[in-house]
Amino acid sequence: MLFDRAQIAEAIHRYPVSIDSRDWELFRSIFTDEIQVYLGPPTDKLKLRTVSADKFTKQVTGVVSRFAVTQHFLTDYHVEVNGNEAVCVSYMQARHFKPGQPTWDMGGYYTYHLVRTGDGWKIPKYTLTVTWEENRPPDFKL
């Protein structure tokens, strides 16, 4: 169980590292081929969208590439393992820097659902619940 938790934490750690380093191959590697995702404010009715991980990686690449620098922090991993499935909840704070514009800051938490695969733990579903933000670019939609 401890080994699983360590592997899950490592898989989740790759999420912010891959975004901030613009390592899109690493980013893609943490997901199953198809994923369900929700990124937005808290809601009673999550509107998960299903998308191929390749398409999602391209979408995230386009969004993040608009900024000169990003910095994502994940803390307080809470991991529950149930056989070949797991859930990890992690607090998040992200900063997005673009010269000449106010820094876009946001915070909230991720809920990652993971499955054990032949290539390690992968994410088939996750949500980002944004609980606060400042200076969102006017043309940006989650």
Side-chain angles (χ1 to χ4, degrees):
M1 178 86 77
L2 289 177
F3 185 65
D4 287 331
R5 292 164 75 73
Q7 287 183 314
I8 290 164
E10 180 59 30
I12 299 303
H13 175 74
R14 291 182 190 128
Y15 184 89
V17 169
S18 63
I19 291 173
D20 294 339
S21 67
R22 311 304 204 257
D23 186 340
W24 303 118
E25 186 176 324
L26 179 62
F27 182 82
R28 169 60 184 89
S29 74
I30 65 176
F31 297 105
T32 56
D33 289 339
E34 185 175 87
I35 62 173
Q36 292 181 300
V37 62
Y38 172 80
L39 309 170
T43 179
D44 291 336
K45 297 180 182 179
L46 288 182
K47 293 182 182 178
L48 290 167
R49 63 184 171 111
T50 301
V51 64
S52 78
D54 292 334
K55 182 177 180 180
F56 184 67
T57 299
K58 287 179 186 176
Q59 291 170 340
V60 171
T61 301
V63 169
V64 172
S65 296
R66 294 172 50 187
F67 300 95
V69 176
T70 58
Q71 189 172 39
H72 292 75
F73 297 95
L74 299 184
T75 65
D76 301 328
Y77 294 8
H78 174 77
V79 179
E80 293 183 14
V81 179
N82 186 9
N84 290 325
E85 297 181 357
V87 175
C88 175
V89 177
S90 176
Y91 286 99
M92 175 280 293
Q93 184 174 356
R95 306 199 79 197
H96 306 79
F97 301 90
K98 191 172 189 178
Q101 294 186 0
T103 301
W104 176 31
D105 289 317
M106 65 168 36
Y109 59 92
Y110 285 106
T111 304
Y112 298 97
H113 297 259
L114 299 99
V115 293
R116 186 191 319 267
T117 72
D119 292 326
W121 289 92
K122 304 277 183 176
I123 301 166
K125 175 181 168 183
Y126 84 106
T127 61
L128 165 59
T129 303
V130 177
T131 56
W132 65 269
E133 63 182 318
E134 294 179 328
N135 303 317
R136 178 197 286 226
D139 61 339
F140 183 81
K141 295 180 184 175
L142 283 175

